Structure formats: structure tokens, C-alpha cells
């Protein structure tokens, strides 16, 4: 048995096509379209039995080289002319991000030779709720030293900017290109062709033991102060190398019944291969603050890697798919989920994972193989940021104003920090905090007052110290923060 390089599912070594996604595993004959690269002789690259193709890897391909005398076609701008290729070399796939610009601002990792886009749930990027999208709408393919986009004769067309692509022809994508597929708009962002860096992962950990454990699933959620809650629906029993569904909800405590009803509906539809979109929910309460959900786990691959939902509703849902690399299955014990409300860390949930000792003949349906965890939010969040980091400062101050009634602690700390207060009054506020959230930047590293804050917080048994950063690369932390865990969160999620 081998693993398909496209969908990572296990399939027979003798198959010409993957039985799960239809990806060709062996070349049939060179393509007749001269704009497409000619295949290398022999079979296409395959996995060695580990799901290594989930991340950037070495593949044989062609380097772009315009053919002599080639002319632009129609009125399509030169920047989106079909690509052509001439010679071959081995290169490392750099990977890319396809970021949705719609209401649910999700991110999709593009780091495989072929990424399928369409309305069918079998696609890598499944746009199941968009009626304007064809079942197999478009393909993102790695060719030459970058990616090309191919329209698969879709009914409503595929666009780069305002230009509609000719069917079955590869058009090169440049960094920052805006794509339109059905009613969905995406932003294409290239990554460098080098080994994975910390900021390319959902959340980033500095090497070293953390001194502060995350909130566990059995944390007290019955407190009447827990106005905001998070609920997670995840599989009771897992297998390695197969895709699983993870449902994450951010909601008011009083909306838990609606959340459970929606989760059961969504799980039943997942059973019948009809993936639901994110951001299902009720009434909008705070339109000016985003909710961002980030799952993480060693040896786990999440698609998308994070989801940001615009505005806060009484309940909201995000659906992730995840797979666990088979060789790391025995070492993976938990998944940790971070939930942000604007810049605030609302809570961190640790989900225990249990693996089947042997693969069952038939897996139970998602709706039958499900466990629910619900916990209350942090109530006292100490926001330690540098006022010179204007975007962060404005986001924190806006959150403190909008949440003043529900979280008065935010305003109390802000009043002390504005006056650069030191001593007992400020230290007492730190001791009361559920979480000390440190916004780490080059300016923060040079600020004596903030050094006083983080050193005092680290000396306390409580609170949880949670440093986040958005500058790439991570500004070097001092020795006092060597044992802390740093988490990468894109700047756009705070606004």
C-alpha cells in the first residue's frame, strides 16, 4: 500500500488512479496541450509510506521558460498569460496560502503538487455551499518555480483579477493575485522555498518546556461569570493517516442548545459527504470584533490552519479537517485549540486524543463517533502591549471599550498601564489574572516597563503566560522568556 500524494489516503501500489480522490498515480501519455509541462519518464513521485507530502517536499518538474514567438492570447493581461515550459530540474515546492476574503476569512495551505477546487466535498478546497461553483471547478498546480491556476471548463468561469481564464490552460499566479471562483474571492500568497519556519505553522512554539499548562477540558465551565464559552466536537476514536472533522464553536453560555442542535446537523451532513461552511450562527452582537480559531498539535495537519470570522454572533461555528501522520500517531496525545476574540485570548482548550489499537473494518459515522467539550472563557485577561505598536494598541483599546460591561478588568488594567504604574496595585492585578497575554515585538523587547511586567508575571504561579507575535521573523526573546511558548497570529486577525 502507498499514500496518494494528493489526498494522503492509503491506496494500492498497483492502482493507476487514487480510489479516494481520482488523482492519477501513473502517467498515461504526454499531454497534447503544448502549454502544459511534459511529464518525466516513469511513474509520478509517490509517498514512501509516510504522509510527508502534506508539507513541502522535493518533486520533479519543469522550469518556466517562454517559448520563442509566443504571443499573448486575447485581451488577457501579460501577468495572467498561460505559462510554457522547456527544461527540467528538481526543486523544492515552496508552498502558498489561499486566503478567503469573504465573510469567513479562512486560510488554505497550498503545499502539494496538485490542489483541487470545487463544490464537491472530495476536493482539497471544497466550496460546498456556493451554487456558482462547479463540482470540479479549478486546479492549482505547482509547475516551474511557482503555481499555475487551471480552469476545468467550469460553468461560471475562473478569474484572476478581472480576467476570465481560458479552460484547461495553466496561468501563472504571482504573489498577491486576487482569484474569483463562483462568489468566493481569494488572495494568493507565496511562501519561500525553504524548510518550514515557525511562523508558517498554525501556532508557534519556541523550543523548551513551558512553565504554564493550557486550560484543560475539565476546567470549570459552570461559573455564572462565564458569559462566553467555547465548545468542541471531536472524534472519540481516531485512526492515523485518515481525515477527520473538528467542529469548534464560540458562543454565549445561553446558546448551548442551539450549538448542540447545529453540531448534530453538521455531523450528519459530514456523514453524507456534504461539508458545511464556517460561520454558521445566529444574531450578530459585535460586528467590529473578529473571532479567530487556531487548532494545533504535533504531527497533526489542519486544513485550513486557522479561521477568522468577521463579527461576533450569539454562536458561531468553524469546521476544520485534520489528519495525523501515521509514524507520529503513538506520540500524539492532545490537540490544543486557541480562541481569540479580536486580540484577546478568550480560552485555550486541550482535547485528549484516543487512537484505535487496530483499524476497524468499518469506522462509525461522524455523528456516532463524537465527544463534546464546553468550557468557559477567561474572565480576567491582562493585555501587555507596547503603545508604539499602533495596530495592536488600537485593537486592544477597542476591545476594552466594547467589552467593558462584560470584562471590566480590561479597563482597570488599561488605566494603570497608561500611567505606567508599578508596585503593589499593578502586581495585584497580575495575580488576579487568568491569563497574561504578552504582545511580543521588537519594541516590546526594548521597553523596561514591559520587562518589569513579564518578569513579574513569570514569577507568579498564576496566571497562564501567553506571548503572541506577528512580526516575521520572531524578534529574539531574552533569556527570561526562554521557557515560554510563543504563538504566531497574523496581524489581520486583530483588526
Amino acid at each position: 500500500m502507498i499514500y496518494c500524494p494528493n489526498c494522503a489516503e492509503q491506496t494500492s501500489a498497483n492502482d493507476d488512479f487514487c480510489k479516494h480522490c481520482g488523482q492519477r498515480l501513473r502517467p498515461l501519455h504526454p499531454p497534447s496541450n503544448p502549454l502544459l509541462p511534459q511529464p518525466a519518464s516513469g511513474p509520478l513521485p509517490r509517498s514512501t509510506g509516510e504522509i510527508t507530502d502534506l508539507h513541502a517536499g522535493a518533486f520533479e518538474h519543469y522550469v518556466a521558460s517562454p517559448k520563442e514567438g509566443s504571443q499573448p492570447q486575447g485581451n488577457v493581461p501579460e501577468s495572467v498569460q498561460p505559462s510554457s515550459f522547456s527544461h527540467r530540474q528538481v526543486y523544492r515546492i515552496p508552498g502558498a496560502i489561499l486566503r478567503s476574503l469573504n465573510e469567513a476569512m479562512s486560510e488554505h495551505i497550498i503545499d502539494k503538487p496538485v490542489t483541487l477546487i470545487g463544490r464537491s466535498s472530495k476536493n482539497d478546497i471544497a466550496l460546498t455551499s456556493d451554487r456558482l461553483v462547479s463540482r470540479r471547478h479549478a486546479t492549482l498546480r505547482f509547475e516551474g518555480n511557482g503555481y499555475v491556476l487551471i480552469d476545468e471548463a467550469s460553468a461560471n468561469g475562473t478569474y484572476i483579477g478581472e480576467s476570465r481564464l481560458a479552460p484547461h490552460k495553466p496561468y501563472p499566479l504571482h504573489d498577491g493575485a486576487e482569484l474569483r471562483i463562483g462568489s468566493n474571492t481569494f488572495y494568493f500568497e507565496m511562501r519561500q522555498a525553504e524548510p518550514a519556519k515557525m511562523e508558517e505553522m498554525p501556532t508557534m512554539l519556541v523550543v523548551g518546556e513551558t512553565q504554564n499548562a493550557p486550560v484543560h477540558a475539565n476546567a470549570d465551565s459552570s461559573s455564572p461569570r462565564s458569559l462566553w464559552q467555547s465548545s468542541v466536537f471531536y472524534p472519540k476514536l481516531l485512526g492515523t493517516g485518515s481525515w477527520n472533522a473538528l467542529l469548534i464553536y464560540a458562543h454565549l453560555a445561553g446558546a448551548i442548545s442551539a450549538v448542540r442542535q447545529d453540531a448534530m446537523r453538521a455531523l450528519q451532513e459530514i456523514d453524507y459527504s456534504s461539508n458545511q461552511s464556517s460561520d454558521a450562527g445566529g444574531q450578530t452582537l459585535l460586528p467590529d470584533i473578529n473571532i479567530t480559531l487556531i487548532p494545533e498539535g504535533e504531527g497533526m495537519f489542519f486544513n485550513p490552519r486557522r479561521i477568522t470570522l468577521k463579527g461576533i454572533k450569539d454562536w458561531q461555528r468553524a469546521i476544520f479537517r485534520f489528519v495525523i501522520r501515521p509514524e507520529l500517531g503513538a506520540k500524539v496525545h492532545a490537540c490544543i485549540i486557541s480562541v481569540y476574540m479580536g486580540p484577546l485570548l478568550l480560552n485555550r482548550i486541550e482535547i485528549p486524543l484516543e487512537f484505535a489499537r487496530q483499524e476497524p473494518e468499518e469506522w462509525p459515522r461522524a455523528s456516532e463517533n463524537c465527544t463534546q467539550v464546553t468550557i468557559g472563557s477567561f474572565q480576567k485577561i491582562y493585555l501587555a502591549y507596547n503603545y508604539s505598536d499602533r495596530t495592536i494598541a488600537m485593537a486592544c483599546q477597542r476591545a476594552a471599550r466594547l467589552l467593558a460591561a462584560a470584562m471590566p478588568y480590561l479597563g482597570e488594567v488599561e488605566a494603570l498601564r497608561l500611567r505606567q504604574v508599578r508596585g503593589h496595585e499593578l502586581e495585584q492585578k497580575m495575580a488576579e489574572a487568568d491569563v497574561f497575554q504578552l504582545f511580543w515585538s521588537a519594541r516590546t523587547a526594548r521597553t523596561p516597563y514591559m520587562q518589569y511586567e513579564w518578569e513579574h508575571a513569570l514569577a507568579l504561579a498564576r496566571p497562564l503566560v501567553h506571548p503572541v507575535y506577528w512580526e516575521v521573523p520572531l524578534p529574539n526573546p531574552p533569556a527570561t522568556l526562554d521557557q515560554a511558548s510563543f504563538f504566531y497570529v497574523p496581524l489581520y486577525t486583530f483588526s
Side-chain angles (χ1 to χ4, degrees), residues 196 252 325 370 471:
L252 292 174
R325 294 172 59 182
C370 181
E471 295 177 343

Side-chain angles (χ1 to χ4, degrees), residues 57 130 161 346:
D130 191 343
L346 202 60

